[in-house]
Amino acid sequence: MAHLFRDLSLGHSKRESTPRPSPLQTKPQPMPSKLTSADLQSPFGQLASQLNDSDLRFIAYDVFLAVCRTSSSKPLSTSASFNSDSPSHNSPGQNHNHSPNTPALQHSLTSAAASKMKKALGLKSPGSSPGSKKSPGSGPGSGQGKSKRPVTVGELMRIQMRAPEAVDARVRRSLLRIGGGLVGRRTESVVLPFELLQQLKQSDFTDQQEYDEWQKRNLKFLEAGLLLHPRVPLDKSNNASQRLQQIIHVALDRPIDTGKNNESTQVLRTAVMSLAFRSDGSLSDSCHRADGIPLNLRLYEILLETCFDINDETSIIEEVDELMEHIKKTWVILGINQMLHNLCFTWVLQLADVAKDVKTTKDPDNSKILSSTLSLILGWAEKRLLAYHDTFDSGNIYTMQGIVSLGVSAAKILVEDVSTEYRRKRKGEVDVARNRIDTYIRSSLHTAFAQRMEKADSSRRASKNQLNPLPILAILAKDVSELAVHEKHVFSPILKGWHPLAAGVAVATLHACITELSSDIVQVLRAADKLEKDLVQIAVEDEVDSDDGGKAIIREMPPYEAEAAIGNLVKGWIKTRVDRLKECVDRALLQEVWSQQASQEGHAPSAVKILRIIDETLDAFFQLPIPTHPTLLPDLIVGLDKCLQYYVIKTKSGCGSRNTYIPTMPALTRCEIGSKFQGVWKKKEKSQNPQNRNSQLCVRINTLHCIQSEMDVLEKRIITHLRNCESAHEEEFSNGLSKKFKLTPAACVEGVRQLSEAVAYKIVFHDLSHVLWDEQNLLIISETVHERVRTRIITDIMKASCDGFLLVLLAGGPSRAFSRQDSQIIEDDFKALKDLFWANGDGLPADLIDKFSATVRGVLPLFRTDTESLIEQFRHWNPTEPNTLLRVLCYRNDETASNFLKKTYNLPKKL
């Protein structure tokens, strides 16, 4: 998305299609908030100050004017082209030639470039609809006869910020006086709110109330920028901060005269300057009065919102290029860089509106694009958050909150509004934000701990030849302690905004890490075990001739029980790895889209990832320096098997089954065609892309087949590992119970069966309910499904087609009625159906077709049997199903059948 933020000149405006407020208005208007969705927490955090939205808007406008006080008077390139007296509006016959640098031509080029962005964002041109030539000031009550548009960047920003002209003029006069005193200094070296407090007096305002509100706003700004959200953290013992807090506290209760150069003003100046010019470690001499998070991001968010039309928040104004050029000048005051700009703009432009739109959209194409886009955003964020100790440090920690919010917001939309699995659960059962943060903490700390382990091992090797080498466990304990403190002070305060127990999760994770098995611990325990056995052997041999055979000596040597300790450590290691795999399964399923385009050889990438993790876990298990691999292997296999079974169950869940799509058998009747009995045979609305849904089901089938096939490979690999174990015996290789996955293969077989039937009956009874067959579906199936399961699915489709054929004949509803003469047509249709699946010998085997069409073949002769014979067969008990005969009679269109049914069952004589 980076190009979007660089190419902001390609904007779109609907300014001309809707009237703007008059630029002459003097009362401030409420600024519509773009981020009002209650479902998404702002990524920038909550301000601790008492500044409201109106205060922040005026402060942002002051900052903008401060950095653009001279350049904001620059004429807009689009303004001249809308002046009715300009050459660009010459009447027919007048000269239309323009020099290359005329504003009209510049506007033409800008508009041409803007159309690219409009197409990319799906926005319409303001001139594409009738009556779209209104402009600022031309709305009702403007009192002007001609259209008036803003002619400078400053005027445009004032209108976008809804700032009254009187306020704008007052601030500009103050900035002019402040600028006169900036001899050899830059604007960013000025503490703007304090300078404004000194420049403006009560006489500059219309009344005392307006002055008091303005003064309090600037004092709160000082408090927010220097005390509550400073760029450089405050030392609690800082005297300047205490003095400033006291002054502000008093002034908020009782206004003070800041316009005079008296003693109280000098105390205020000293405290402000002392706090604002504290060094942040850089070589810059800029002061820090509005560059702390989240204050700076909230102010920048307000400035970015001015790029959108105030009357249509989905439209970008035409002058966005020039406006953005000036907005970026505030970076030096607000401490913004390109990365923060991109995050802010992404938030303003996308996720808040996406969260609202996705709840109402039913379009599967939109949902597919949304899912893909959000998955990319989530992947980008999680690449940084799953190992946030490597991503963030003191130099860029201020970006973490925005990235966390971006990832959590994308995950919430994916899970709560896109996932069908979430809709089947009560919302209280799933806390998406908390689950994601939990995963980030555990994953990042596991990674950080592993790095500390490697570092400690390197230190151990480096001190190996020293007189007193450092014990690795002591080194590791020190490193983990430092890691825990760093987590508590740096990361937990940010993460607790989404997970109130973030610090507790971190502690539990580190505790699990330090109790996890390592080769060094095992080597110590094995050495202790060998030492114990050697000592016992020496004692026994020495005391062999004693009266008690050395038992008294042995009793003085309490056992180490090293083998039991190793066994417990290995079981803990297994539990940790299995829990980690379960988290990976949930995360992989959350991001999986089951798309044929994204699949690898027809199956889902998530399955490949999970199988790879299982393979790596088995390798890591057999690399543990323990003597009991065969004994503890079953515990590992059971854990891995349950995780893989869980993946299989989730893969098939929510996809339906045969019974989901097959219609209910209608009641037996001879109702009229015009009656209310329509049942399931009413023509259904065709879904908007059933082929795409069927393709996704086929990818799921391929995935389950892939997992089932991989089970044999895994089990053979386990046998190979066992043969290389120091303590394995031949009988353990032949004992299949210890190395077999029991749950997953059965789950795969059942899953393939369920999904295969679901695809087949969905195609026949849902997608094609209005017509029995369409060969395009067979082509999609044959091109998508793995060849090893293709016959299974095509067979299920044939079975579903035969069931559909019988339902048309025996339960077709009031629109169906057959005479004996129709029997030949029916038999020809059935032959054509069988030929479709036989495909001249290239399709299903003939014996398979005969097997599953036997029921239809047994019923078809009844349609050419005379009615009297049918009645005679029905009246006598025999192995033939009487309900079938009765249904044939119900749909027989002749007088004899009608009389029999009327007399016997009191059914209507006429259909």
Side-chain angles (χ1 to χ4, degrees), residues 654-823:
C655 297
S657 63
R658 175 183 182 274
N659 294 332
T660 304
Y661 300 104
I662 195 167
T664 305
M665 185 74 74
L668 197 61
T669 183
R670 292 274 283 178
C671 60
E672 297 179 2
I673 293 177
S675 72
K676 294 181 180 180
F677 176 71
Q678 296 296 324
V680 298
W681 297 104
K682 180 175 69 174
K683 183 176 178 180
K684 296 180 180 178
E685 292 298 325
K686 198 173 182 180
S687 60
Q688 292 190 28
N689 196 356
Q691 286 86 2
N692 182 57
R693 174 62 174 162
N694 295 336
S695 176
Q696 290 180 339
L697 290 174
C698 290
V699 171
R700 292 174 188 258
I701 292 172
N702 289 345
T703 301
L704 298 188
H705 172 73
C706 168
I707 293 174
Q708 184 182 1
S709 303
E710 192 66 21
M711 291 299 96
D712 290 337
V713 178
L714 282 174
E715 289 168 3
K716 290 177 181 177
R717 194 172 293 136
I718 291 171
I719 292 176
T720 302
H721 281 304
L722 282 172
R723 292 186 186 278
N724 296 327
C725 287
E726 59 183 272
S727 59
H729 304 288
E730 187 61 36
E731 60 269 16
E732 291 169 333
F733 307 147
S734 58
N735 180 11
L737 295 178
S738 65
K739 64 182 185 327
K740 284 221 176 262
F741 289 79
K742 300 175 184 177
L743 302 175
T744 303
C748 287
V749 170
E750 173 59 23
V752 169
R753 183 201 64 76
Q754 177 186 321
L755 291 175
S756 178
E757 287 188 347
V759 171
Y761 282 82
K762 177 180 178 295
I763 288 174
V764 173
F765 290 99
H766 184 269
D767 302 343
L768 302 176
S769 59
H770 57 295
V771 63
L772 185 58
W773 193 243
D774 180 353
E775 287 194 31
Q776 182 65 26
N777 287 277
L778 270 184
L779 293 175
I780 292 174
I781 297 296
S782 62
E783 291 173 358
T784 307
V785 178
H786 192 280
E787 59 182 7
R788 297 289 296 275
V789 289
R790 189 176 301 152
T791 299
R792 169 65 186 262
I793 296 183
I794 299 299
T795 301
D796 282 337
I797 294 175
M798 190 197 73
K799 288 164 62 179
S801 299
C802 289
D803 285 348
F805 196 84
L806 283 174
L807 280 169
V808 170
L809 298 181
L810 302 177
S815 62
R816 300 289 182 181
F818 305 102
S819 65
R820 287 182 63 191
Q821 289 73 24
D822 295 329
S823 62

Side-chain angles (χ1 to χ4, degrees), residues 535-554:
L535 293 175
V536 169
Q537 183 65 27
I538 292 171
V540 169
E541 290 176 355
D542 190 56
E543 301 291 331
V544 68
D545 296 328
S546 64
D547 294 338
D548 61 355
K551 293 180 180 179
I553 296 296
I554 298 301

Side-chain angles (χ1 to χ4, degrees), residues 156 752 877:
L156 172 63
V752 169
W877 294 104

Side-chain angles (χ1 to χ4, degrees), residues 27 79 113 345 360-361 513 603 627 633 657 683 818 905:
K27 291 190 73 174
S79 61
F345 204 93
T360 58
T361 183
C513 287
H603 46 259
L633 176 62
S657 63
K683 183 176 178 180
F818 305 102
Y905 295 102

